[in-house]
Amino acid sequence: MAGLIEQERYTCAIGALQTVVAIPRAVPILHSGPGCGVMIKGFFERSSGYAGGETAPCTNFSEKEVVFGGTDRLRNIIKNTYKVLDTDLQVVVTGCTAGIVGDDVASVTDEFLFEEDRPIVHVETSGFKSNNYVSHSAVVNAIIDQYVSRFEEENPSRSEKNLVNVIASIPYQDQFWKGNLKEYKRLLEGLGLKVNILFGPHSGGVKEWQTIPKANFNVFVSPWYGEPIVKNLQRRYGQPYFKFGYLPVGANETTKFLNGVVDFALEQGAEIDEKKARKFIEEEEKAYYEELDNLATFLLEFRYGLPSYVHILHDAGYVVGLTKFLLHETGLVPKEQFIVDNVPKKYQEQIEADIKATSDKREIPVYFDPDAGAMQDVIRGLEHKGRGLILGSGWDKELAAEINADFLSIACPTPYRIVMTTNYVGYTGGLRVIEDIYNTALATYK
């Protein structure tokens, strides 16, 4: 049995339709079979947005379209969508059948773009070509190249010294994307910057996307996914980018992240007050540690009821960020960690180095494997002493019960947790992680 993956924790390429759903008043049009949209909605749960879920138009590609092509059907769906949905941007995403047949989707969208001056974009997302971690970048770059490029004249490249674009969480694939992006915006604005976060209710929708070229530089928070976006912006608009390779969670890494942004901004000629920016960081850090001080009595009295070690099953950005945070700021010992987002090999060495840098006294083994079922078997085969904690998706709840560990759902897919605006990044995100972990321990304490 070769090539089989159990408990895949991402979707095929067409899952990036959620990238479109996350843009206010944008609509994905699926040129695919009827099951594709249903599959994506079922995986991500509570992810309909403005025009996702059952609202998203679909050509319902059938045997007829396989034989004769589906461009006529796509043309009609686009026309009817304009009649029914009041949207600012349409993005046609293609499924496997359209990709195999070879429909000329670009010629159809060009009809509406040039003859009717409609804001419409097309992107190839055949499921057999990649996963949604990869196709998220393809969708964003398609919007930049086909839509944002039309507004370059009124938005000159790098014309606003204090404006930055944030390329970070993948909408819906990251359970906490709304809260995380809002927190990035708050923190960076606290430094004196103006911020495009592009997705979610706190973005300016397509009007904000139009200003992407004006940004002085980009803030890129990711170990690998999203890199084609910042590379494209660098080529197209000459925008450099500041990279932070994992989620900044808690005081240590958030302070490191923000100080790094300040240094980079000043190098790029941003007109921010360095003294005020550093003061903002100090005040945020002070407020964080005040809350930890208030927690000291609880930790002292309850220390024998808390987990002593933790396994994380998540994407690389979360695994590295939470590993550093848990060891240094909660005292939980990270044991074997499992990165399940199918990281390309060229990025794995740096990710391993980031994890290794967490401690010079303790080795933290890390596994790269999209087969999360196999990774669960690794955990089952380990020797477990003391009370443990599993941070993962809903599929890991039964595993935690098997090894008598606490369980906290922090990844897709999960039916066990509702996340609305919670964030895990930043100072406030670190406090929320502590709340979630210790509340889980208290709920199972006997």
Side-chain angles (χ1 to χ4, degrees):
M1 292 172 63
L4 296 179
I5 295 177
E6 184 184 359
Q7 297 182 16
E8 186 179 56
R9 304 193 178 196
Y10 46 82
T11 74
C12 68
I14 203 171
L17 70 89
Q18 295 302 131
T19 298
V20 183
V21 172
I23 302 171
R25 292 178 54 81
V27 57
I29 297 178
L30 282 67
H31 189 37
S32 68
C36 296
V38 174
M39 175 193 70
I40 301 304
K41 179 179 182 293
F43 182 85
F44 288 113
E45 296 186 3
R46 299 177 291 278
S47 57
S48 295
Y50 178 70
E54 285 87 355
T55 307
C58 181
T59 56
N60 292 330
F61 216 99
S62 65
E63 289 88 347
K64 178 182 176 181
E65 284 71 43
V66 170
V67 176
F68 298 105
T71 54
D72 288 341
R73 187 166 180 81
L74 175 61
R75 186 177 294 107
N76 288 331
I77 288 291
I78 294 173
K79 286 181 179 178
N80 291 327
T81 299
Y82 284 124
K83 294 176 183 178
V84 175
L85 292 173
D86 181 20
T87 61
D88 292 337
L89 177 67
Q90 294 193 0
V91 180
V92 177
V93 294
T94 57
C96 295
T97 45
I100 293 171
V101 171
D103 276 351
D104 187 359
V105 175
S107 66
V108 177
T109 57
D110 283 352
E111 293 175 19
F112 294 92
L113 180 62
F114 296 111
E115 295 176 18
E116 301 185 24
D117 195 28
R118 297 284 194 176
I120 189 167
V121 169
H122 65 89
V123 57
E124 172 63 52
T125 54
S126 296
F128 56 81
K129 288 193 172 182
S130 64
N131 60 43
N132 63 307
Y133 278 101
V134 175
S135 61
H136 166 72
S137 295
V139 169
V140 172
N141 279 336
I143 297 173
I144 291 169
D145 295 341
Q146 300 171 45
Y147 175 74
V148 174
S149 61
R150 301 172 66 198
F151 302 90
E152 290 173 353
E153 188 172 337
E154 61 251 52
N155 295 283
S157 176
R158 302 189 71 187
S159 57
E160 286 198 22
K161 292 295 184 181
N162 284 13
L163 179 63
V164 299
N165 303 312
V166 173
I167 309 300
S169 296
I170 297 179
Y172 298 101
Q173 179 64 47
D174 177 359
Q175 264 195 316
F176 306 100
W177 70 275
K178 286 183 183 178
N180 285 348
L181 290 179
K182 181 181 178 182
E183 186 64 4
Y184 284 128
K185 184 179 178 72
R186 185 188 74 83
L187 290 171
L188 294 174
E189 286 179 345
L191 302 180
L193 296 169
K194 183 179 177 182
V195 183
N196 286 338
I197 55 170
L198 305 178
F199 301 104
H202 296 281
S203 77
V206 296
K207 289 292 185 182
E208 185 172 287
W209 280 74
Q210 292 170 14
T211 67
I212 285 176
K214 297 171 71 173
N216 188 11
F217 65 95
N218 300 308
V219 176
F220 177 44
V221 185
S222 169
W224 69 276
Y225 41 84
E227 186 174 79
I229 301 170
V230 292
K231 293 289 189 183
N232 185 32
L233 292 173
Q234 188 175 51
R235 287 191 300 268
R236 192 173 191 102
Y237 302 122
Q239 295 168 339
Y241 61 91
F242 171 78
K243 179 177 179 179
F244 200 80
Y246 46 88
L247 268 73
V249 184
N252 291 345
E253 299 306 320
T254 305
T255 295
K256 179 180 177 182
F257 165 68
L258 293 177
N259 279 321
V261 171
V262 171
D263 293 340
F264 193 83
L266 293 171
E267 290 172 7
Q268 302 306 319
E271 298 169 350
I272 62 173
D273 186 323
E274 181 179 4
K275 186 175 180 180
K276 287 184 178 179
R278 307 289 188 193
K279 182 66 173 176
F280 170 77
I281 297 170
E282 289 177 11
E283 290 174 349
E284 288 286 313
E285 194 175 59
K286 180 181 177 182
Y288 172 86
Y289 282 119
E290 182 176 324
E291 293 303 322
L292 286 196
D293 286 344
N294 293 335
L295 194 65
T297 301
F298 162 77
L299 294 176
L300 181 63
E301 294 178 351
F302 199 69
R303 61 189 182 279
Y304 297 114
L306 296 175
S308 58
Y309 69 88
V310 60
H311 295 299
I312 308 170
L313 296 92
H314 211 312
D315 69 43
Y318 268 91
V319 169
V320 177
L322 287 173
T323 294
K324 290 178 178 293
F325 170 72
L326 292 174
L327 181 62
H328 294 304
E329 300 185 48
T330 71
L332 289 177
V333 177
K335 295 184 73 175
E336 289 79 5
Q337 306 303 323
F338 303 89
I339 296 174
V340 294
D341 55 329
N342 204 10
V343 179
K345 287 191 179 296
K346 65 180 181 178
Y347 299 102
Q348 292 182 12
E349 184 177 349
Q350 180 59 54
I351 293 168
E352 286 184 309
D354 287 337
I355 291 179
K356 186 176 182 180
T358 301
S359 174
D360 57 2
K361 298 180 176 61
R362 175 180 297 276
E363 182 181 357
I364 303 173
V366 58
Y367 294 77
F368 294 90
D369 196 333
D371 191 337
M375 296 302 92
Q376 286 187 341
D377 288 338
V378 172
I379 294 175
R380 289 186 180 97
L382 298 172
E383 183 179 356
H384 303 100
K385 292 182 179 180
R387 185 177 182 180
L389 172 66
I390 300 290
L391 302 180
S393 84
W395 279 324
D396 300 312
K397 185 175 183 179
E398 292 185 8
L399 169 66
E402 286 180 37
I403 65 173
N404 196 30
D406 290 334
F407 165 73
L408 178 60
S409 174
I410 63 168
C412 286
T414 181
Y416 301 117
R417 179 173 187 172
I418 293 176
V419 177
M420 299 178 75
T421 60
T422 298
N423 62 289
Y424 267 14
V425 302
Y427 303 101
T428 60
L431 294 176
R432 181 55 192 257
V433 174
I434 292 173
E435 286 179 359
D436 286 350
I437 289 174
Y438 293 166
N439 283 335
T440 298
L442 286 170
T444 59
Y445 182 66
K446 298 179 182 178

